[in-house]
Amino acid sequence: MAKIHPLACVHPNAKLAETVEVGPYAYIEEFVEIGENTRILPHATIFNYVKIGKDCNIFPGAVVGAIPQDLKFDGEITYVEIGDRVNIRECATINRGTKASGKGLTKIGNDVLLMSYSHVAHDCTVGNHCILVSYVGIAGETDVDDWAILGGGTVAHQFSKIGKHAMVGGGSKIGKDVPPYVLCGRDPLTYAGINLVGLRRRGFSNDQIRNIKDIYDVIYNSSLNFSDAVARIQEGFPDSPEKNEIVNFIVSSKRGIIRGPQNASSKDDGVE
């Protein structure tokens, strides 16, 4: 039986694994499912229609599954799904989806860190191994792909997409899509190179990193528009997972991707 503090408020129909721990003054509603070894710390709130995986930690003041802050929401049943080994720090918030979006689901992957006061709005998707630093706010239907990191105080416009292994500098305003593998910052948000340190930490080879860098040189440093740059990449680079990830991201972008710096020029990126 789950270890529930006597001062916690847990609906008797909530489905808690036997190894779940619930601290004092935590609040858990009826239609909630929580996996093994997850801890709900004091004063955390889990509203209805939330599923949380195993080995998660929900810290004090966090609110998971509140109804969306969307005027189109009409009381329908929608959901939040959270994967395994997710840490939701103090006062972070995750809202349920809306039917108006066509999804009705806000989803957080595995091994994610949502730092204090971060906000994940309705119908967002956050992939595996992502980090949202304190005070990040992603608006409705934003997609953050695997291994992306959003620096503190960053805000994302609704429908934005942030690609795999991207690193967004703190205090940024995301109004265009951020392609995979890149570093970006400044105002307006601008391409600043590839995420070299992150890629090396995650085991990308020098050849893979060089290929990614060469592709982005065509996109941002060749004076071609993005459509012509993609055509040149498709013709001039052999198929690889990295090439396909970048091309597919740019081709499918509805908001358009972030721009390069004015008068950008290639420079040493430390790739051997």
Side-chain angles (χ1 to χ4, degrees):
M1 184 175 180
K3 183 179 179 181
I4 301 174
H5 193 280
L7 293 178
C9 181
V10 179
H11 195 283
N13 293 339
K15 297 178 180 179
L16 276 58
E18 292 185 356
T19 51
V20 168
E21 296 182 18
V22 182
Y25 305 105
Y27 176 79
I28 301 174
E29 291 194 328
E30 178 176 6
F31 302 108
V32 172
E33 183 175 343
I34 302 177
E36 295 190 1
N37 299 314
T38 287
R39 297 190 306 153
I40 311 300
L41 298 174
H43 298 279
T45 298
I46 316 295
F47 286 118
N48 276 325
Y49 310 115
V50 172
K51 181 177 181 180
I52 300 173
K54 62 184 180 182
D55 300 310
C56 298
N57 295 289
I58 316 299
F59 279 74
V63 180
V64 180
I67 61 172
Q69 299 169 71
D70 181 358
L71 295 177
K72 299 185 296 297
F73 181 71
D74 196 29
E76 64 268 21
I77 295 175
T78 55
Y79 301 93
V80 169
E81 290 184 5
I82 295 172
D84 301 332
R85 300 172 301 280
V86 174
N87 283 288
I88 301 172
R89 295 303 304 256
E90 297 83 356
C91 301
T93 54
I94 304 172
N95 289 170
R96 281 163 45 196
T98 64
K99 290 293 186 183
S101 73
K103 292 192 292 186
L105 172 66
T106 303
K107 188 171 183 178
I108 310 293
N110 300 322
D111 302 290
V112 170
L113 172 57
L114 303 181
M115 292 191 189
S116 56
Y117 295 93
S118 56
H119 176 64
V120 179
H122 66 88
D123 302 290
C124 290
T125 299
V126 177
N128 301 320
H129 303 282
C130 293
I131 301 174
L132 274 60
V133 180
S134 296
Y135 301 99
V136 164
I138 58 174
E141 302 185 58
T142 295
D143 292 336
V144 182
D145 216 335
D146 297 348
W147 294 101
I149 299 175
L150 306 187
T154 292
V155 292
H157 194 283
Q158 65 189 62
F159 306 110
S160 297
K161 297 184 183 298
I162 296 91
K164 291 181 178 180
H165 300 278
M167 173 75 180
V168 181
S172 296
K173 295 181 286 187
I174 301 174
K176 297 284 188 178
D177 293 343
V178 177
Y181 313 117
V182 306
L183 286 173
C184 58
R186 307 186 184 98
D187 186 14
L189 192 61
T190 303
Y191 170 78
I194 64 169
N195 186 10
L196 179 62
V197 173
L199 294 176
R200 283 180 167 166
R201 285 176 176 171
R202 294 161 202 155
F204 282 72
S205 69
N206 282 335
D207 286 343
Q208 288 174 300
I209 292 171
R210 174 61 67 183
N211 190 47
I212 292 168
K213 196 264 184 190
D214 289 346
I215 289 171
Y216 278 113
D217 277 347
V218 174
I219 293 169
Y220 286 114
N221 296 331
S222 66
S223 300
L224 297 172
N225 64 44
F226 290 147
S227 296
D228 290 342
V230 166
R232 179 173 292 185
I233 292 163
Q234 289 175 319
E235 295 172 359
F237 287 80
D239 281 340
S240 67
E242 295 76 35
K243 169 192 166 182
N244 294 337
E245 186 71 31
I246 295 168
V247 168
N248 291 339
F249 186 96
I250 295 173
V251 169
S252 64
S253 174
K254 295 180 179 178
R255 297 188 58 79
I257 65 171
I258 59 172
R259 294 286 171 174
Q262 292 290 333
N263 302 317
S265 61
S266 183
K267 57 185 177 180
D268 180 20
D269 60 3
V271 180
E272 298 172 0

